[in-house]
């Protein structure tokens, strides 16, 4: 099974904020990532955070990192229908390899 | 950002045949590429690390004789699924690492393989 864990589903109303949570296990991970995957497509890097940071904000996206609890979250402000997708949390483990969570399917309802 | 392409986008083949999937970095040289497999509604599982000019490194449980990887140039890695079976049907995704980047890998759009 995955070492990175995420909740599987999230339903959110358009215009509200979405928060996706993730826990990881490798405390030596240097980079943590959020990727977006739309149906039938590859992965799009949304944002990443270096392990010595607590927070990173990039337009509508806010990443929070709690190293003590190995907890990572992604907040999407003002969620739009185009944000409906699967969101993967990932950590860089070794030799630039990435370990992915199972993905959170976000559904935005009108 | 950098672009990684995969070819074909989707392929249907018969059991027992082999199929080759290409992964290309279009505007940078990738010394390292990764191959992932994704089952429907599941995560990406790393299959192998492809290093230019040397043998690929396979993850535990991945059959190297079944999934042949060749990284003959700095912009091309290929994955050949040999003697394909229906259980090999999956979405195969590659990623490429730009040596000048510390944190980012660039993902291809994926190849859908269906074995009948």
């Amino acid at each position: 099974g995955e070492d990175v864990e995420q909740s599987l589903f999230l339903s959110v109303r358009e215009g509200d904020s979405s928060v996706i949570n993730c826990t990881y296990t490798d405390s030596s991970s240097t980079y943590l990532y959020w990727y977006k995957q739309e149906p039938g497509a590859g992965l799009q890097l949304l944002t990443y955070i270096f392990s010595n940071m607590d927070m990173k904000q990039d337009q509508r996206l806010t990443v929070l990192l709690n190293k003590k609890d190995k907890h990572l979250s992604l907040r999407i402000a003002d969620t739009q229908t185009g944000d409906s997708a699967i969101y993967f949390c990932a950590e860089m483990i070794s030799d630039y390899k990435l370990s992915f969570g199972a993905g959170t399917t976000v559904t935005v309802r009108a | 950002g950098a672009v990684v392409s995969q070819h074909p986008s989707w392929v249907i083949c018969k059991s027992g045949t082999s199929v080759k999937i290409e992964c290309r970095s279009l505007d940078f040289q990738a010394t390292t590429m990764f191959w992932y497999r994704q089952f429907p509604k599941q995560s990406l599982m790393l299959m192998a690390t492809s290093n230019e000019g040397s043998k690929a490194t396979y993850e535990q449980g991945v059959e190297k004789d079944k999934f042949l990887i060749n990284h003959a140039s700095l912009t091309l890695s290929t994955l050949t699924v040999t003697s394909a079976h229906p259980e090999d049907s999956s979405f195969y995704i590659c990623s490429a690492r730009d040596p000048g980047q510390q944190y980012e890998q660039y993902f291809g759009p994926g190849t859908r393989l269906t074995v009948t």
Side-chain angles (χ1 to χ4, degrees), chain B residues 16 43 58-59 64:
Chain B
S43 186
Y58 291 82
E59 295 300 302
K64 60 180 68 174

Side-chain angles (χ1 to χ4, degrees), chain A residues 8-12 18-20 74 76 79-81 83-87 103-109:
Chain A
L8 295 181
F9 302 99
L10 176 67
S11 178
V12 62
S18 307
V19 179
I20 308 169
L74 173 69
I76 306 172
T79 310
Q80 303 297 308
T81 54
D83 295 325
S84 292
I86 302 175
Y87 291 80
T104 299
T105 299
V106 173
T107 303
V108 181
R109 59 188 194 278

Side-chain angles (χ1 to χ4, degrees), chain B residues 21-35:
Chain B
I21 302 169
E22 294 184 348
C23 176
R24 291 182 188 273
S25 56
L26 297 186
D27 48 7
F28 66 98
Q29 293 184 329
T31 52
T32 304
M33 292 183 173
F34 300 92
W35 286 96

Side-chain angles (χ1 to χ4, degrees), chain A residues 2 31 33 35 37 40-43 45 48 88 92 95-98 100-102, chain B residues 34 36 38 42-46 49 59 91 93 97 102-105 107-109:
Chain A
E2 289 96 10
Y31 291 97
Y33 305 83
Y35 286 89
Q37 186 181 35
L43 270 69
L45 177 64
Y48 70 96
F88 291 97
M92 183 183 288
D95 299 326
Y96 302 99
K97 294 180 185 179
L98 299 182
F100 286 85
Chain B
F34 300 92
Y36 295 86
Q38 185 181 30
Q42 292 189 29
S43 186
L44 281 75
M45 299 301 294
L46 179 65
T49 304
E59 295 300 302
F91 195 52
I93 303 176
R97 182 178 162 258
Q102 194 62 10
Y103 66 89
E104 188 166 4
Q105 293 177 20
F107 283 81

Side-chain angles (χ1 to χ4, degrees), chain B residues 88-109:
Chain B
D88 298 326
S89 298
S90 192
F91 195 52
Y92 292 88
I93 303 176
C94 74
S95 70
R97 182 178 162 258
D98 181 344
Q101 289 277 1
Q102 194 62 10
Y103 66 89
E104 188 166 4
Q105 293 177 20
Y106 302 97
F107 283 81

